[in-house]
Amino acid sequence: MSEVWILGGAGRTGRATAAALRRRGVEPTLVGRDAGRLAETAGAGRKVVAGDVEGMAAEIRRQRPAVVVNTVGPFTRTAEPLVRACLAAGHYLDLANDLASFTTTLGLGDAAAAAGRTVVTGAGFGGAATESVVVKLCEGRGTPDRVRTDMIPSVALEGGVTGEALAGSLVEGLPGLEGGGRYQGRRYRGGRLAPARIGGDPAELTLPDGTTVTTAAVPLGELMAAQRASGAPDVVSASSEAPHSPVARAILPVATALLMIGPVREFARRRLAAVSTKPKEKPREYSWAHAVVHWRDGVTREGWLRAGEAMSFTAAVAAEVARRLLAGEGRPGAYTPAALFGPALAEACGGDYLLPGSPADTRI
């Protein structure tokens, strides 16, 4: 029996993670609800058919895999029952990047420690890339005052419908969070989550390759990862994917207020799930993660992580974390990737660190 299971193994991310694991010498078991698609994807490899999250949890408890990789969203619904199933079986990691599931999963740290298991959330480009830059910049220094992170992914689209899992993640990514309204943005002030405007704090960045991009605040899981990794009381996370135009920022408060209405939210989720996209090449050669860290004594550090196509980097992070957990390199408790394995994890997944202003932008 394979010791690493990939839940959602027939999907794009599951397939990419399986390929990345095989390159690391690990043959995974693919788990999903569609036996036909699993057979096409896994070939002669091992497969487990489970129709829903409850079925997956039951199989985990029964067969006890050493490591479970969860690629099935929305993670607000799938993470907790699957983590709890793994506590009696093995280690767990997921690709979440929303604040709600980060809060829940990291909140299970005491239970994971008591069970002797390692739980990792945010094992993808969105969570791991910016966090890794923050951890790298904070090396050798005390707790900073302020941190800003910027995520600039370059994603190649396969095309096809959005699907229920992704649509649910997008629509249900902020329910029940402290520090603001249900569909309001967040930042950290005084070490606590506080209200913020989605699309606020816009910044025009010049990337190390000389191109420019605008990023704006968006309340993703990487916000929590950056705060936990640095300890900074004031943290903002931004993304090039966030709406930042004046028109978008004017419309967003109305649109998010409408999501408070249950039937409207359900309608939005169904319509979004049915949206079909065409295949599209990645918009730029590299994906970038950026952070600026300020200390009270006036010291400021800025750094970048250069990575390839964002989904490929995500698969590499998930596979490398799974490989390390399988090798016994984890620690009991719940973590984000760089908090557990340090900034060298991103380099092991093909990323390069760069310092603007240093000779030839050399690696640090």
Side-chain angles (χ1 to χ4, degrees), residues 167-194:
S169 293
L170 295 173
V171 174
E172 298 289 350
L174 284 170
L177 276 180
E178 66 173 325
R182 182 176 172 89
Y183 288 101
Q184 190 173 28
R186 300 290 195 283
R187 62 173 297 160
Y188 276 92
R189 288 189 186 277
R192 300 181 66 85
L193 286 170

